[in-house]
Amino acid sequence: MRKTLPWLVGLLVVLGGIGWLAYDKLFRRDFPVYASDAEYFKYGSIGNDSENGVPYLVWRVLPTVFPDLFPGPGGYASLGFYWEKGRSEADAPVGFSKARIGFERMAINCAFCHNTITRSALGAEPVAYPTGPSNLTDVQAYQRFLSACASDPRFTPEVLLPEIEKVAPLSFIDRALYRFLLIPATRQALLDQKAVFAWSFTRPVWHAGRIDPFNPVKFDMLKLPDDGTIGNSDMMAVWGLDARNAIRPDAPLHWDGLNTSIREVVISSALGDGGRASAPNFFDSMNRIERYLRSSRAPASPYEAAPVLVEQGAAVFAAECAECHAKDGAKTLTVVPLAEVGTDRHRTDMWTIAARDAYNNYNQGYDFGFKSFQKVEGYLAEPLDGLWLTGPYLHNGSVPTVADLLEPAAARPKAFVRGITVLDSEKIGFVAPACVPGAKLDEGYCYDTSEAGNSPEGHEYGTSLPPADKAALIAYLKTL
Ligand code: HEC
Ligand code: HEC
């Protein structure tokens, strides 16, 4: 007994040491503190770090090891990632949380898809507007880049570790951790993700500024069968949610108004991005983001227009548009039936009754008490605040400028460049020259309206107005 005691103590010390080390290297939490909700929105975690986070050091060296797998030159910038001035390569770009759970992880957050980048002219400094729709982020290209890396024979500790050590020399233990655990596990997780998104190869490419928002959730999280639908739609602005509810309590959200509760939309958005109620920061994070989106405002328009023209335009708006877009419009923030608005039907068809029911009953791991998902065939008529920043227009982003939207559908551009961040102060929207589908461009990509889900049809309101009325209306819309 006398002799075994020291052994036992020794063993316990060793096991305790291993336990502590495992805790420290794999589970210890160290989240940056953000003083303002605005900073939190850009860089805070949404509780998806464990589910979707990529080890930071691996993420950091992927552009060095796999520059050829990006869609263009510039590494992550070619996927639309945006670093604010003064932040270095070692910092997260807008839309990523960099937090430590054992090791540092990079995980996307809401600002990944809700942050508009603009320039006043070619060569001008970019300006970012968090809560606006992301016009550069290419979510699908990012996913496919990660899968391509994981499928590549270069994704090995032998290739990655020397690059990692150039960024951050590792201790003996950390090197072993990366070699035997993190690099192989990351590779496997990315390959698993590739399999989960296999269905997306049977659909049109999303491209920058667009995603299919709910099919990934339907087929993976809600376990519904692939129904062949195409949901490709534009990112949305998420500002001023309280102001919307002041117009209409329980105002529907999303392009087709598929849910009437801000709380449920915030939480379901996080779940779709890998957020989990089991993450200790989940509900704090949701509260903070919800508070921020409720009180945020659409950025004021930078445009000026002659006051007389604006006044004339306001009268045209009152006659032609107010019913659906003015604060006191009878149909504002209601879902206008598809048969009436006549825009591309794919997005509304993607949201099915089965999806509505599955989401309302979703309680995997936690009962969120969802009850506000609804199915209405049509699209939501929204107030037009911040219109200058939200181009291209309609739910599928199929019409480059407001001036084009005031032309009959048949006369709207057939193919145009999306992803140029230069604002068009005349037509409202972004500069969008005509292009040939498939052509490789220096900036942006060629949006082809003949692809399924991309039709610019419908919403012919105001298209038969005389040119002078259209000019006045545009002058008024510039002030929103
Ligand atoms: C991967 C991209 C992506 C991420 C990340 C993302 N969203 Fe969104 N969000 C979208 C898209 C796209 C839509 C419009 C989808 C649709 O209805 O077709 C949208 C719609 C919304 C809307 C509805 C806005 C309105 O005016 O009706 C809200 C609110 C919202 N998102 C909040 C969030 C929050 C909160 C987060 C983070 C927890 C988040 N989103 C993360 C892409 C994203
Ligand atoms: C009967 C209702 C109705 C009327 C009238 C109407 N709209 Fe709309 N508007 C909608 C709906 C519904 C949508 C969403 C359609 C979609 O995304 O497919 C929309 C979308 C828009 C958008 C795109 C918003 C965005 O974020 O992409 C603009 C711009 C717009 N309308 C301007 C106008 C103007 C200008 C007028 C008057 C000339 C007008 N609308 C008249 C119902 C209406």
Side-chain angles (χ1 to χ4, degrees), residues 110 113-114 211 213 233 237-238 244 253-255 269 273 347 382:
C110 316
C113 300
H114 297 296
I211 60 172
S233 59
V238 290
R244 290 164 111 255
L253 295 124
H254 282 288
W255 290 116
S269 297
D273 300 324
R347 167 63 187 80
E382 296 210 282

Side-chain angles (χ1 to χ4, degrees), residues 255 320-321 323-325 331 336 340-341 343 379-381 384 387 390 392-395 402 405-406 459 461-462 473 477:
W255 290 116
E320 305 284 333
C321 324
E323 180 194 7
C324 295
H325 293 298
K331 293 185 182 166
V336 177
E340 187 176 344
V341 67
T343 50
Y379 293 108
L380 188 63
L384 302 178
L387 188 65
T390 61
Y393 299 96
L394 299 181
H395 70 274
V402 172
L405 188 63
L406 292 175
H459 196 287
Y461 310 106
L473 181 57
L477 294 172

Side-chain angles (χ1 to χ4, degrees), residues 3-159:
K3 276 187 180 160
T4 50
L5 195 62
W7 273 102
L8 208 63
V9 171
L11 185 68
L12 285 177
V13 167
V14 169
L15 285 178
I18 292 173
W20 185 86
L21 202 67
Y23 159 75
D24 184 61
K25 295 293 175 194
L26 297 175
F27 302 109
R28 183 197 208 97
R29 307 171 57 78
D30 184 6
F31 280 63
V33 174
Y34 296 99
S36 71
D37 291 351
E39 284 301 294
Y40 195 87
F41 182 75
K42 288 186 282 186
Y43 301 114
S45 151
I46 57 170
N48 58 350
D49 318 79
S50 294
E51 186 75 13
N52 277 2
V54 180
Y56 164 68
L57 287 173
V58 172
W59 188 89
R60 176 75 190 276
V61 303
L62 293 181
T64 317
V65 178
F66 305 102
D68 49 314
L69 299 184
F70 284 102
Y76 285 130
S78 73
L79 303 173
F81 298 6
Y82 177 77
W83 275 264
E84 290 182 294
K85 222 177 165 167
R87 289 177 68 90
S88 80
E89 235 188 318
D91 298 314
V94 175
F96 277 87
S97 142
K98 182 182 174 194
R100 180 176 169 208
I101 303 177
F103 49 93
E104 283 189 306
R105 305 172 193 224
M106 297 294 280
I108 64 162
N109 64 22
C110 316
F112 191 52
C113 300
H114 297 296
N115 178 46
T116 316
I117 311 295
T118 71
R119 284 174 301 167
S120 54
L122 277 176
E125 279 290 313
V127 183
Y129 294 92
T131 69
S134 292
N135 47 342
L136 291 186
T137 308
D138 194 331
V139 177
Q140 190 169 60
Y142 177 46
Q143 279 171 359
R144 290 183 180 178
F145 167 74
L146 292 176
S147 327
C149 292
S151 313
D152 192 287
R154 289 169 287 178
F155 203 104
T156 61
E158 288 66 36
V159 177

